[in-house]
Amino acid sequence: MRAVVTRVSSASVTIDGQVEGAIEQGYLVLLGVGPRDTEAVCDKLADKICNLRVFEDENGKMNRNLAQVGGAVLVVSQFTLYADTSSRRPGFSGAAKPELAIPLYERFLDRCRENGFRVEHGRFGADMQVASVNDGPVTILWDTEET
């Protein structure tokens, strides 16, 4: 799985002119699923993100996690994180097919909820407009094949 996690002061996803999900302080997670991903990989990534400590403490150090600041999570499916950029026209055959990707995307949402967080999300496969106010900016990239 690949995830781009941005610390935000607010974020939203809109589909067909209607806000589908919105959060204030928390994480915007762009999530891509690869063909070799498993439930175990999904759970581990969700747990890592939910416990990430990138919010400032009283000394200005990134030492607080999402729970400590009362944050939420907005997750948006993003197959383009698996783009083959070896040419000018990216290919996306490296992303998982929907029959694997959708259940793992939904499992990721559930796992974040199990960690105690309010989870908002887009709609898998939809044309979405994502807005965010990046805080910091703090952006972390995860590729489970590299860790």
Side-chain angles (χ1 to χ4, degrees):
M1 296 184 100
R2 293 181 181 164
V4 176
V5 180
T6 302
R7 185 179 78 183
V8 298
S9 55
S10 65
S12 65
V13 59
T14 301
I15 302 171
D16 296 327
Q18 299 293 318
V19 174
E20 185 87 4
I23 64 168
E24 294 301 318
Q25 184 177 42
Y27 298 140
L28 168 60
V29 179
L30 305 178
L31 183 68
V33 179
R36 291 180 295 283
D37 289 329
T38 64
E39 291 181 349
V41 167
C42 179
D43 291 351
K44 185 175 180 180
L45 180 61
D47 292 347
K48 281 187 169 207
I49 291 170
C50 287
N51 291 292
L52 178 65
R53 296 181 351 186
V54 295
F55 293 95
E56 291 182 0
D57 64 16
E58 62 280 353
N59 298 314
K61 302 290 183 195
M62 288 196 292
N63 199 30
R64 289 189 175 145
N65 64 26
L66 196 58
Q68 291 170 309
V69 300
V73 183
L74 174 62
V75 183
V76 177
S77 62
Q78 190 77 49
F79 74 92
T80 60
L81 290 175
Y82 278 89
D84 174 359
T85 58
S86 61
S87 69
R88 291 184 182 173
R89 182 168 184 256
F92 302 105
S93 61
K97 302 285 185 231
E99 50 272 9
L100 173 65
I102 292 171
L104 288 178
Y105 170 76
E106 291 173 353
R107 184 178 182 97
F108 184 90
L109 299 174
D110 290 340
R111 188 65 176 210
C112 291
R113 288 185 192 105
E114 289 170 10
N115 273 283
F117 298 104
R118 181 172 66 87
V119 178
E120 299 284 329
H121 55 87
R123 190 179 321 136
F124 191 93
D127 181 25
M128 298 175 272
Q129 290 71 51
V130 180
S132 67
V133 178
N134 297 355
D135 181 19
V138 174
T139 303
I140 310 281
L141 172 65
W142 263 286
D143 185 339
T144 59
E145 292 183 13
E146 293 180 3
T147 56

